[in-house]
Each structure stands twice: as structure tokens, then as C-alpha cells.
């Protein structure tokens, strides 16, 4: 019955096309006799409607299939139950590589268009978004190595910019004061006893270094010969304060992270790439970044690192890029458009993406050979620029349907059901 309905639908389309042609013919010529008038009235009935637009395929080879009576699209080669409704699958014989024949007039009426399977160069690129982050290798923590108390705090707000060598805070530590006194005593003894006390002085100096004093502090101690009650901590690099866990007068210990200073001369960009495009990823692949807020586009960079773990929820892989940021235009947590270029696939057999029909069992196309259309299963590869790479199933030069293929595929599927697919003659 479905095949009869499909043939009737095509016949109605043919009637409309023939009627339009008949009306235009009536405007151009006028019948002079009653016989001419009668023949003109009968003309539409003798048009394409009297011919079968789609005929039954003649396929000598058959395969045994099992399908669900309620869900005909569920088909398999062995007995079993329908995964949807649970009904027992019914055995039926179906032709291999079902074909449909459509004449030229109906091809035009159905707007069937084809394209040639031919070698192409597919440029692989991924369009995604990247988030600006602090570079983890540019973060410096400020700790003390002897417990004490904050005496003077020079950095008072989160996000404050500092330069290398600037004062961060000064603190008092009793253990550090005792170590300075021991060093000054060892220094005095070494001057009296000469080289015999050199080892003692070296050990006292090493103790000061282990407690956090710098070469500058030790040199100042040697010159002043007075212990310093307040030790000043300086910034090791240019950057901004991204963590501030200390206030004036606070008691501090060696395990406390007092400050975190991050350099923004470079930033990290982390982008998500779908799981299906992981095969394109490689370390060092070229990339371009846009900054819409600054009206800047096409900043060139490359993929520095591909994270080994896949995100369980989004099913994406993360890649990391590094971008110079001397003008501080890039701020953490910004979301920027990114294009990743994976190179070119040269001379690969490809067809338009619209020609490929997807199903649970794989990909297929409708191949045209004159007035015959057949369903062909194919194996696909990469997809880019509106084309799909064909790994197997097609040969160069074959014609595939890119418009109207769904109707032809439906008719081919009906021809596999255990009912007649021959069109009615009216």
C-alpha cells in the first residue's frame, strides 16, 4: 500500500506538470474542429499519468532479513525481537542494493539534482571558543620560613599591580632575630681566629639563607653589624596580586600562602574541541584568535599542549595555546573565538555533505545511472567545507543525488518490504 501511495503521489505531480503544459498549449493554438476539441480534452489523460514514473526493480539476488511488523525500519540479518516494541521480527526476503527507476520528466518534476564524486582538497579547521586563563607557570607565591607577625603591609588590595623588587610586607620573626645574632657572633669570632672559624661562619650564613634572608639582607647585616628586627619581603616578578591572605598585624606561619603574584605578560587560552574532531589535533598546529572587544582579529598562535583527559560531560578535549599580552588587552575569563587549522587533505574522493544519508547502520548515498537510482552504502571520513570524504563504496566519476534523495531512499526502502512496489496504471 505504501508503494501504491508513493506512485499515486508522483502521478499527481505528473498531472500538475502535464496540466501546466496543456494550458500553455491552449493559449498558443485553437482547435478548429469538434474532433480537435475532443482530442484536446483527452490530452491530459494520455500524458505521463498513463505511464509508470517509478517501476519495480528487477534484482535477481536476495538476502534474508528480519523486520518488525510495527516498525519496518528495524531490520537485521538474524532473528530476534524489536528493540522498540519487543515484537518478534518477521522473516522476509529483500533485494540487495534496491533500485528505483525514474523517467526524465519525473526527475525534473521532483527537482532531482546530482553531483559528481571526484577528488578534492579538504582543508581541516575547527571553529571553537577559548577562555583566557592565568598561566600556571607564571604564578609566584610569597611565604615566610619563620613564624612571626606582620609589621607593615605595602600591598593592600587584590588585583594591585606590582613590579619586581617592590616591597610587599615587613614582618618580625623571633627565630630569625636569634639567627642574625648568631651570625654576627660567628663573624666576630672569625675575624679574631681567621680561617679556623671559617666553617662556623659558613654554617651561620647558611642558616640565615634557609630562614629566608637574601644576599642583599646578609650583605647589609655584615655592614651594619646590627640585627634587623623587621625583615622586608620583595616581589620576585612583575604582575598583579591574584591572592591576598594577609593583613596588618596578622600572625603568620611558614605554611601560610600570604600572597600570589601572577605575571600577565603571557596568557593561556584553553579551547574545547569535540570528540569527533580529536583525530585532527596535533601539538604545534596553527591557530588564530580574535578579540571582538578590541576589534582585533587573526592573531596567530599555535597549540602548545593537548590535555590527555576527555571531559565526561561535554565529551570534549581541551587544548592550550599561549599568547603574548604586553598591552594587557587580554584579561582572565574572557571568551574569544578561535580557529584551529589541521592542514589539508589532498586529492581525497569527496561528495557534497547533502548527498550523505545517515542512519543507525551507517552512511549511504543514492547513485544515479541514467534513469536508474540505487542505494549505496559508503564509508565516510573527514568532513570540511561542505564535503565528506568517501573511504569506500564509491568510485570517481559516479553521480550521487544531492536533492530529492530522501524520496528516492524512501521508495527504495519500500521496495524491500514484502509488498508490491509496482505503480498503478490509470
Amino acid at each position: 500500500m505504501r508503494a501504491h501511495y508513493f506512485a499515486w503521489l508522483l502521478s499527481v505531480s505528473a498531472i500538475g506538470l502535464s496540466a501546466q503544459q496543456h494550458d500553455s498549449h491552449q493559449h498558443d493554438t485553437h482547435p478548429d474542429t469538434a474532433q480537435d476539441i475532443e482530442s484536446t480534452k483527452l490530452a491530459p489523460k494520455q500524458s505521463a499519468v498513463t505511464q509508470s514514473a517509478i517501476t519495480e526493480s528487477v534484482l535477481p539476488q536476495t538476502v534474508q532479513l528480519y523486520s518488525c511488523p510495527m516498525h519496518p525500519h528495524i531490520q537485521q540479518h538474524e532473528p530476534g525481537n524489536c528493540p522498540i516494541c519487543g515484537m518478534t521480527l518477521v522473516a522476509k526476503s529483500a533485494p540487495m542494493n534496491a533500485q528505483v527507476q525514474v523517467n526524465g520528466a519525473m526527475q525534473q518534476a521532483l527537482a532531482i539534482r546530482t553531483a559528481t564524486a571526484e577528488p578534492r582538497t579538504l582543508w581541516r579547521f575547527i571553529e571553537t571558543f577559548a577562555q583566557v586563563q592565568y598561566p600556571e607557570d607564571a604564578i609566584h607565591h610569597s611565604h615566610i620560613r619563620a613564624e612571626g607577625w606582620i609589621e607593615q603591609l605595602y600591598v593592600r588590595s587584590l588585583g594591585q599591580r606590582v613590579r619586581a623588587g617592590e616591597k610587599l610586607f615587613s614582618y618580625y620573626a623571633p627565630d630569625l632575630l636569634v639567627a642574625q645574632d648568631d651570625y654576627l657572633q660567628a663573624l666576630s669570632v672569625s675575624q679574631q681566629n681567621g680561617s679556623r672559624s671559617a666553617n662556623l661562619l659558613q654554617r651561620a650564613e647558611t642558616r640565615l639563607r634557609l630562614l629566608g634572608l637574601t644576599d642583599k639582607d646578609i650583605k647589609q647585616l655584615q655592614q651594619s653589624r646590627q640585627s634587623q628586627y623587621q625583615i622586608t619581603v620583595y616581589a620576585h616578578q612583575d604582575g598583579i596580586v591574584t591572592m591576598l591572605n594577609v593583613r596588618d598585624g596578622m600572625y603568620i606561619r611558614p605554611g601560610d600562602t600570604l600572597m600570589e603574584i601572577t605575571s600577565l605578560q603571557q596568557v593561556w587560552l584553553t579551547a574545547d574541541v569535540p570528540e569527533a574532531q580529536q583525530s585532527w589535533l596535533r601539538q604545534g598546529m596553527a591557530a588564530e584568535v580574535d578579540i571582538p572587544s578590541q576589534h582585533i582579529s587573526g592573531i596567530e598562535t599555535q597549540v602548545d599542549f593537548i590535555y590527555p583527559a576527555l571531559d565526561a560531560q561535554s565529551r570534549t578535549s581541551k587544548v592550550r595555546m599561549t599568547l603574548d599580552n604586553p598591552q594587557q588587552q587580554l584579561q582572565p575569563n574572557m571568551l574569544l573565538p578561535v580557529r584551529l587549522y589541521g592542514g589539508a587533505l589532498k586529492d581525497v574522493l569527496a561528495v557534497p555533505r547533502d548527498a550523505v544519508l545517515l542512519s543507525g547502520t551507517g552512511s549511504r548515498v543514492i547513485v544515479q545511472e541514467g534513469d536508474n537510482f540505487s542505494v549505496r552504502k559508503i564509508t565516510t571520513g573527514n568532513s570540511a567545507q561542505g564535503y565528506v570524504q568517501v573511504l569506500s563504496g564509491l568510485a570517481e566519476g559516479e553521480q550521487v543525488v544531492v536533492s530529492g534523495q530522501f524520496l528516492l531512499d524512501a521508495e527504495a526502502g519500500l521496495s524491500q518490504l514484502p509488498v508490491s512496489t509496482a505503480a498503478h496504471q490509470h
Side-chain angles (χ1 to χ4, degrees):
M1 294 297 294
R2 295 183 179 177
H4 296 168
Y5 172 75
F6 179 79
W8 172 81
L9 179 63
L10 295 176
S11 299
V12 172
S13 301
I15 291 174
L17 178 63
S18 179
Q20 292 178 0
Q21 296 174 350
H22 173 63
D23 292 341
S24 62
H25 178 71
Q26 283 184 336
H27 286 290
D28 295 339
T29 60
H30 301 276
D32 295 332
T33 64
Q35 183 179 0
D36 294 335
I37 295 175
E38 186 65 19
S39 61
T40 303
K41 293 180 179 179
L42 294 176
K45 296 183 179 179
Q46 299 173 353
S47 62
V49 181
T50 62
Q51 301 178 357
S52 176
I54 298 182
T55 62
E56 185 177 6
S57 304
V58 180
L59 299 171
Q61 296 182 347
T62 59
V63 293
Q64 187 68 37
L65 291 178
Y66 297 85
S67 67
C68 175
M70 296 297 295
H71 304 90
H73 62 282
I74 300 298
Q75 299 179 2
Q76 62 185 37
H77 294 283
E78 61 276 351
N81 296 328
C82 176
I84 299 178
C85 63
M87 295 184 64
T88 302
L89 301 182
V90 178
K92 67 183 182 71
S93 295
M96 299 175 60
N97 297 329
Q99 294 184 356
V100 176
Q101 187 176 17
V102 183
N103 60 37
M106 289 310 301
Q107 292 182 31
Q108 195 171 22
L110 296 175
I112 295 177
R113 294 186 295 107
T114 62
T116 305
E118 57 186 359
R120 290 181 176 273
T121 297
L122 301 182
W123 292 92
R124 299 177 295 178
F125 72 95
I126 305 169
E127 290 185 304
T128 182
F129 288 88
Q131 186 177 21
V132 180
Q133 295 182 345
Y134 295 118
E136 296 178 3
D137 57 356
I139 299 176
H140 183 269
H141 287 176
S142 292
H143 291 266
I144 48 93
R145 299 184 181 182
E147 60 184 17
W149 290 263
I150 295 292
E151 295 291 337
Q152 179 67 40
L153 187 62
Y154 301 101
V155 175
R156 296 185 172 275
S157 62
L158 196 66
Q160 181 176 337
R161 296 182 182 274
V162 296
R163 293 186 176 276
E166 285 187 5
K167 295 180 180 180
L168 299 179
F169 59 90
S170 298
Y171 70 104
Y172 162 71
D175 292 342
L176 194 53
L177 182 60
V178 173
Q180 292 181 78
D181 292 339
D182 292 344
Y183 174 77
L184 292 177
Q185 185 176 3
L187 183 62
S188 177
V189 172
S190 65
Q191 290 179 349
Q192 296 177 1
N193 299 332
S195 59
R196 291 180 298 176
S197 301
N199 187 31
L200 179 64
L201 180 62
Q202 183 65 33
R203 293 176 61 183
E205 184 176 339
T206 301
R207 183 185 178 191
L208 290 178
R209 295 183 188 278
L210 293 177
L211 288 175
L213 259 65
T214 62
D215 292 340
K216 180 180 178 181
D217 294 330
I218 296 176
K219 185 176 182 180
Q220 183 178 357
L221 183 62
Q222 292 174 353
Q223 294 175 353
S224 64
R225 298 297 178 95
Q226 291 183 354
S227 300
Q228 302 178 23
Y229 285 85
Q230 294 185 10
I231 303 300
T232 302
V233 177
Y234 301 89
H236 286 74
Q237 63 181 10
D238 296 345
I240 63 173
V241 178
T242 53
M243 180 187 294
L244 183 60
N245 295 330
V246 63
R247 293 293 182 266
D248 284 327
M250 183 178 290
Y251 173 72
I252 55 178
R253 294 169 295 184
D256 298 335
T257 301
L258 306 181
M259 291 186 188
E260 182 183 85
I261 299 176
T262 305
S263 174
L264 289 182
Q265 293 300 314
Q266 287 186 332
V267 293
W268 282 1
L269 305 179
T270 57
D272 293 328
V273 177
E275 183 179 4
Q277 296 175 318
Q278 273 192 325
S279 60
W280 296 11
L281 297 179
R282 59 177 178 83
Q283 192 168 341
M285 66 187 299
E288 285 184 349
V289 182
D290 299 336
I291 310 178
S293 61
Q294 304 290 336
H295 305 286
I296 299 175
S297 61
I299 303 176
E300 296 182 359
T301 182
Q302 65 179 14
V303 174
D304 297 327
F305 183 73
I306 301 174
Y307 288 83
L310 191 71
D311 189 272
Q313 296 182 350
S314 63
R315 309 305 302 173
T316 57
S317 292
K318 287 187 177 296
V319 298
R320 188 181 73 208
M321 296 153 283
T322 302
L323 207 60
D324 292 333
N325 189 32
Q327 304 298 327
Q328 309 291 307
Q329 294 174 325
L330 298 175
Q331 300 176 355
N333 299 322
M334 290 178 66
L335 200 62
L336 305 179
V338 175
R339 294 173 297 279
L340 306 178
Y341 296 94
L345 293 174
K346 298 182 179 180
D347 297 329
V348 296
L349 186 65
V351 295
R353 188 178 299 166
D354 294 338
V356 181
L357 302 175
L358 302 178
S359 66
T361 59
S363 303
R364 62 188 185 278
V365 294
I366 307 297
V367 180
Q368 181 187 23
E369 296 179 2
D371 289 343
N372 294 323
F373 296 85
S374 60
V375 180
R376 187 85 60 81
K377 288 187 177 181
I378 62 173
T379 303
T380 60
N382 293 296
S383 176
Q385 292 88 52
Y387 288 88
V388 177
Q389 180 186 7
V390 179
L391 301 178
S392 64
L394 274 180
E396 181 180 347
E398 289 191 290
Q399 297 292 318
V400 295
V401 179
V402 296
S403 177
Q405 69 272 35
F406 293 101
L407 196 58
L408 297 172
D409 184 63
E411 174 62 14
L414 289 174
S415 68
Q416 296 182 359
L417 298 178
V419 295
S420 174
T421 58
H424 277 191
Q425 299 287 342
H426 294 277

